[in-house]
Structures are given as structure tokens and as C-alpha cells.
């Protein structure tokens, strides 16, 4: 996931003794891709090789996949709704709250955000169309479209905020 390379002076050869004395390191952590390009976080570190390894481990913990695995879908929906409160009117906010509550019901409270895959979305929406939502009634196709649109908005927001490595929609 991460790499570390010595930043040598021009013309300086990469020998063991030179690397042991090096005090300037380039640290790089790759965490997913966006639009076909890798997302890389880099940092120039000044210190010993051992200190650089510790700094790289900290970067990997901060930027690495560990951050992706910790957030639940329900928790992210709540955070998304809190961000939207400032910009939406009362009626639009109530509609969004209702749609997000249906999504939380469909996917469950404990599912991780990264566990939502295209296959999981298809399976969940097929079940929603056949069995209905929280009320137990079979939803109309237009209502299914509104719920899907809300899911698209949440997942696009999660991708743009680097909460997930790729958008499953």
C-alpha cells in the first residue's frame, strides 16, 4: 500500500552506505482510484530510515483502507443528512429524511459503507420491489426511482469525500 524511497542528490549512486546515511525520504501511500487514476498521498520526510518507516506506517493508517472499513452506511446517511440541513428547505429535508430512512431499512443499520457493491444494490432493490419497504406495501416504480436517486446521491458524496474507494453505482 505504501512505499518509501530515498531522495538522493543528482549523480549520487544508490549504495547501501549512502542509503543508510540518507536523511530525506519520499513517502507515498496509494489508496484506491478515481476516474482511472490512482489516488496517491505523498510526503517528504526528514529523518532516519527507521523514523521514515514509522512515518510511513502512520500515513498508511491514516490514508489506508483501515479508514474505509470503519464507517457504516446508516452512520454515513446521518452525516450526509446533517450536511444537507443547512442548504435544503423544510419540505425537501423531510423528503430526504424519509428516503434515507427507507435506505437504512433496506440495507440495515450495521452494513459497512464499503460492503455496498453493485450486486448488493441490485439484490436489495429487487427485494424492495417484490416485498416492499418499511410499510410492507409494494412501492410504485416512480417511488423506487426516488429511493435509488437518494442512494446515488449518498454514494456519490461518499466517493467524493473519500469515504469509499470507488462508487458502486
Amino acid at each position: 500500500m505504501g512505499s518509501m524511497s530515498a531522495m538522493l542528490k543528482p549523480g549520487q549512486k544508490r549504495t547501501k552506505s549512502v542509503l543508510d546515511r540518507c536523511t530525506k525520504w519520499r513517502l507515498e501511500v496509494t489508496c484506491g482510484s478515481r476516474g482511472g487514476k490512482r489516488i496517491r498521498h505523498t510526503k517528504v520526510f526528514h529523518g532516519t530510515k527507521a523514523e521514515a518507516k514509522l512515518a510511513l506506517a502512520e500515513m498508511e493508517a491514516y490514508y489506508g483502507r483501515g479508514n474505509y472499513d470503519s464507517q457504516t452506511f446508516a452512520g454515513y446517511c446521518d452525516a450526509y443528512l446533517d450536511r444537507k440541513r443547512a442548504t435544503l428547505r423544510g419540505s425537501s429535508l423531510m423528503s430526504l429524511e424519509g428516503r434515507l430512512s427507507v435506505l437504512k431499512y433496506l440495507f440495515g443499520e450495521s452494513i459497512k459503507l464499503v460492503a455496498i457493491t453493485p450486486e448488493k444494490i441490485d439484490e436489495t432493490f429487487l427485494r424492495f420491489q417484490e416485498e416492499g419497504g418499511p410499510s410492507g406495501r409494494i412501492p410504485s416504480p416512480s417511488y423506487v426511482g426516488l429511493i435509488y436517486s437518494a442512494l446515488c446521491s449518498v454514494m456519490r458524496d461518499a466517493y467524493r469525500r473519500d469515504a469509499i474507494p470507488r462508487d458502486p453505482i
Side-chain angles (χ1 to χ4, degrees):
M1 181 72 81
S3 64
M4 182 174 87
S5 60
M7 297 180 70
L8 304 175
K9 294 176 183 166
Q12 195 173 17
K13 293 192 178 187
R14 196 177 277 282
T15 63
K16 183 174 179 353
S17 62
V18 169
L19 291 177
D20 287 341
R21 291 178 300 180
C22 184
T23 59
K24 190 174 180 183
W25 301 88
R26 181 173 191 259
L27 310 177
E28 180 178 300
V29 176
T30 304
C31 56
S33 65
R34 178 176 293 160
K37 294 187 177 187
R38 291 185 302 174
I39 300 172
R40 293 185 282 181
H41 300 279
T42 60
K43 176 182 178 180
V44 175
F45 180 80
H46 296 273
T48 66
K49 186 175 183 178
E51 293 170 340
K53 284 183 180 180
L54 289 174
L56 180 64
E58 288 175 8
M59 282 181 66
E60 286 176 337
Y62 183 76
Y63 292 114
R65 288 194 64 84
N67 291 346
Y68 292 137
D69 294 337
S70 62
Q71 192 154 26
T72 64
F73 178 70
Y76 193 83
C77 284
D78 293 338
Y80 176 76
L81 187 62
D82 288 342
R83 285 191 298 277
K84 289 294 184 180
R85 283 189 201 286
T87 58
L88 293 178
R89 294 182 324 219
S91 60
S92 299
L93 186 63
M94 286 179 54
S95 297
L96 182 62
E97 283 177 346
R99 292 174 189 150
L100 291 181
S101 68
V102 170
L103 284 172
K104 288 191 272 188
Y105 171 81
L106 291 174
F107 286 101
E109 293 287 327
S110 61
I111 189 169
K112 300 290 184 189
L113 195 56
V114 294
I116 297 179
T117 61
E119 295 80 19
K120 180 72 175 170
I121 293 170
D122 291 343
E123 169 192 319
T124 302
F125 273 84
L126 282 174
R127 191 181 73 235
F128 179 45
Q129 290 172 335
E130 292 171 0
E131 299 171 10
S135 66
R137 295 187 335 204
I138 303 298
S140 68
S142 62
Y143 187 66
V144 172
L146 290 172
I147 300 299
Y148 186 79
S149 174
L151 176 66
C152 290
S153 297
V154 169
M155 298 310 283
R156 185 175 44 245
D157 184 71
Y159 176 66
R160 287 181 179 162
R161 292 178 179 271
D162 287 331
I164 52 175
R166 52 185 285 265
D167 189 357
I169 300 296

